[in-house]
Amino acid sequence: MTRGELTSTNGTVVWDGLGTLRIRYDATRSGFHPLAGAVRARLGERVLPVEALRSVEVTGTGARLVLREGADPLQSVTRLIDVYDFPGVDLDLAGDIARDVAQVLVRRDVPATAATAWLVAPPGAPDQFEGHDATLVVANGRLTFTYRRSAGRKKKALGDLWSVPLDEIVDVEWMPEQGRLGARGFLRIATAATPDVRPKPRHDPATMVSRRHTDVDVLFFATRLLTRIRP
């Protein structure tokens, strides 16, 4: 089996030749996508068991790790940021590693279907987060919204405090700020009772509007929350 290290502007991928990929992100580079760079810098390092992968794709520009659906909670929260793309690597070595990974997947009989449990650890995040119009707290099996003065009457209509059991939450959505002068980002949850047509984030009681320049913090909180509702 091949052991190897792929060096990219986005970070380094180390394959141990047995069944584990270790990613060390480059905290000094943001490239053309500052938010993606900030996410990678905050992640620092990630460890991927081969069971989390569908394949390693090698193109003329680099390599990309393709994960199974449901393996990584971070990827499940956001498709806007790709933390598994590594341009500019040694393509010959990347091809060798891709073949190795494929062989291990076959030998271990890893399906390409969705994972039934998280296989990649979420980034660290606190159990409390203060947003622009609400503070979220995870405790005692519940997610509690405490609305701030900046929250409108529609948000407070369900009560202040308002909480929902974690086992009733079916989805967690994250959205970053939209442009330099655009709309704020938000974290939004959904339950079985959530209507198909949602109010705007500033009017939706099940949404916390983010403070400026906290996109990465909110993303990590959302990812950790997802692992609390889907162990």
Side-chain angles (χ1 to χ4, degrees), residues 52-230:
L53 294 176
R54 287 178 55 200
S55 65
V56 176
E57 291 184 348
V58 181
T59 68
T61 58
R64 182 172 182 271
L65 309 183
V66 181
L67 271 65
R68 296 168 62 196
E69 191 77 22
D72 178 14
L74 179 69
Q75 195 174 64
S76 295
V77 169
T78 177
R79 301 290 179 177
L80 301 176
I81 297 172
D82 190 348
V83 297
Y84 297 119
D85 185 38
F86 298 94
V89 298
D90 181 324
L91 297 181
D92 291 334
L93 178 58
D96 291 341
I97 292 174
R99 285 187 289 274
D100 266 10
V101 168
Q103 291 172 8
V104 174
L105 290 173
V106 170
R107 189 164 63 248
R108 296 190 182 183
D109 197 23
V110 178
T113 54
T116 57
W118 303 119
L119 299 173
V120 184
D127 286 333
Q128 177 172 322
F129 193 86
E130 184 175 315
H132 172 68
D133 61 357
T135 297
L136 303 186
V137 177
V138 178
N140 302 317
R142 304 183 73 89
L143 174 67
T144 300
F145 288 73
T146 303
Y147 300 113
R148 306 182 67 195
R149 286 185 178 182
S150 53
R153 290 192 300 271
K154 290 183 179 180
K155 284 206 168 185
K156 296 179 179 180
L158 293 182
D160 186 12
L161 312 168
W162 176 68
S163 69
V164 57
L166 293 178
D167 60 9
E168 292 185 8
I169 302 174
V170 298
D171 195 24
V172 180
E173 179 186 358
W174 168 82
M175 182 63 65
E177 294 179 21
Q178 301 299 298
R180 184 178 178 185
L181 300 176
R184 291 179 183 267
F186 61 83
L187 182 157
R188 180 159 60 189
I189 64 167
T191 69
T194 298
D196 292 336
V197 179
R198 304 287 295 264
K200 291 182 178 180
R202 68 176 182 271
H203 299 312
D204 188 347
T207 300
M208 178 201 73
V209 175
S210 308
R211 290 178 290 125
R212 296 291 186 193
H213 312 306
T214 60
D215 285 334
V216 179
D217 299 294
V218 179
L219 172 60
F220 285 12
F221 182 89
T223 302
R224 179 73 179 101
L225 176 60
L226 186 62
T227 64
R228 299 290 289 271
I229 66 175
R230 300 182 201 163

